[in-house]
Amino acid sequence: EAGVAQSPRYKIIEKRQSVAFWCNPISGHATLYWYQQILGQGPKLLIQFQNNGVVDDSQLPKDRFSAERLKGVDSTLKIQPAKLEDSAVYLCASSLEPSGGRLFFGSGTQLSVL
Amino acid sequence: AQSVTQLGSHVSVSEGALVLLRCNYSSSVPPYLFWYVQYPNQGLQLLLKYTSAATLVKGINGFEAEFKKSETSFHLTKPSAHMSDAAEYFCAVSHRQAGGTSYGKLTFGQGTILTVHP
């Protein structure tokens, strides 16, 4: 069974530039999550989709972050403009619904903002 | 509101020794508790979970955790460490969303890096 795919693996940009991350969840998983993991901290949920609808985006900085999940499958997370404090690993996860708390994580995209 | 505190950002043990990783939670409703593990260059994977059934939960690779409501703890243990256990471990808390079937969002602790010495 293929896992959660994310790209790119690494990204380096300068502050005020824009960046986009892509995620392809496990086939058949209704729920998709984007987490932000800052160095030395645990992952923090940015946004949760169920199919192509948003379930929770309470911690998404909406002035600069946006996410979409077209057709309830792939998802993209965008940052525009990036700030230094956005340097982190961005993790995508997916799950069946109900999840039972079992999320399947991708390897993440490591973003460095200079 | 819910939160998780993992005591000790780094734990070092010798191969064959007891592994004990500490987790305390705070939750205003009955919690669901999880341990996830992240091996180098891999995504996080579920190790075990507590969802209000048995308080002693067994997971993969010989790990287990005990839910203690009176102590608001969910410590992870393994009787004998193996070199392959070296990884970062995350405790997480969630709760069933009102009126729904989902467990809602996971709130993670800051992680504990486990090092195993020969």
Side-chain angles (χ1 to χ4, degrees):
Chain A
E1 178 184 82
V4 176
Q6 290 189 247
S7 67
R9 186 72 178 91
Y10 303 94
K11 190 72 176 179
I12 302 173
I13 61 173
E14 295 188 350
K15 60 183 180 183
R16 291 188 289 274
Q17 287 187 323
S18 62
V19 64
F21 313 125
W22 173 81
C23 173
N24 186 11
I26 293 173
S27 177
H29 281 194
T31 307
L32 184 147
Y33 314 77
W34 283 102
Y35 279 83
Q36 179 193 57
Q37 186 176 12
I38 294 172
L39 186 64
Q41 299 180 20
K44 181 185 81 171
L45 180 70
L46 292 176
I47 189 167
Q48 176 183 347
F49 292 95
Q50 184 167 337
N51 297 311
N52 58 354
V54 176
V55 175
D56 186 340
D57 64 356
S58 58
Q59 298 189 94
L60 185 74
K62 298 180 185 65
D63 58 334
R64 298 184 301 106
F65 286 64
S66 65
E68 61 181 7
R69 189 182 186 197
L70 298 176
K71 301 180 181 179
V73 182
D74 293 6
S75 178
T76 56
L77 177 70
K78 298 179 181 178
I79 308 175
Q80 182 178 10
K83 293 184 175 182
L84 297 178
E85 58 261 38
D86 298 331
S87 294
V89 176
Y90 291 84
L91 301 169
C92 180
S94 68
S95 70
L96 296 167
E97 192 59 35
S99 70
R102 185 177 187 186
L103 277 57
F104 294 80
F105 284 84
S107 298
T109 295
Q110 185 171 329
L111 173 67
S112 297
V113 182
L114 306 178
Chain B
Q2 54 195 23
S3 64
V4 168
T5 301
Q6 292 183 238
L7 302 176
S9 58
H10 290 81
V11 170
S12 181
V13 300
S14 298
E15 192 172 21
L18 171 72
V19 175
L20 171 60
L21 305 182
R22 299 178 186 273
C23 172
N24 287 89
Y25 70 90
S26 172
S27 179
S28 57
V29 297
Y32 297 104
L33 295 159
F34 309 85
W35 277 98
Y36 274 78
V37 60
Q38 186 171 29
Y39 298 104
N41 298 314
Q42 295 185 27
L44 285 87
Q45 56 184 283
L46 182 65
L47 198 56
L48 50 78
K49 65 180 183 180
Y50 164 77
T51 56
S52 75
T55 56
L56 181 62
V57 181
K58 295 186 183 298
I60 60 173
N61 300 333
F63 284 92
E64 63 182 37
E66 186 173 8
F67 172 68
K68 292 187 176 180
K69 183 178 179 180
S70 61
E71 299 177 7
T72 61
S73 69
F74 190 58
H75 302 330
L76 181 70
T77 60
K78 182 174 181 178
S80 177
H82 192 272
M83 297 294 289
S84 60
D85 295 327
E88 188 164 17
Y89 293 79
F90 293 91
C91 184
V93 63
S94 182
H95 64 271
R96 188 180 293 273
Q97 291 177 316
T101 57
S102 172
Y103 284 86
K105 67 182 182 184
L106 295 178
T107 299
F108 286 88
Q110 78 275 25
T112 298
I113 296 172
L114 176 66
T115 303
V116 182
H117 297 288

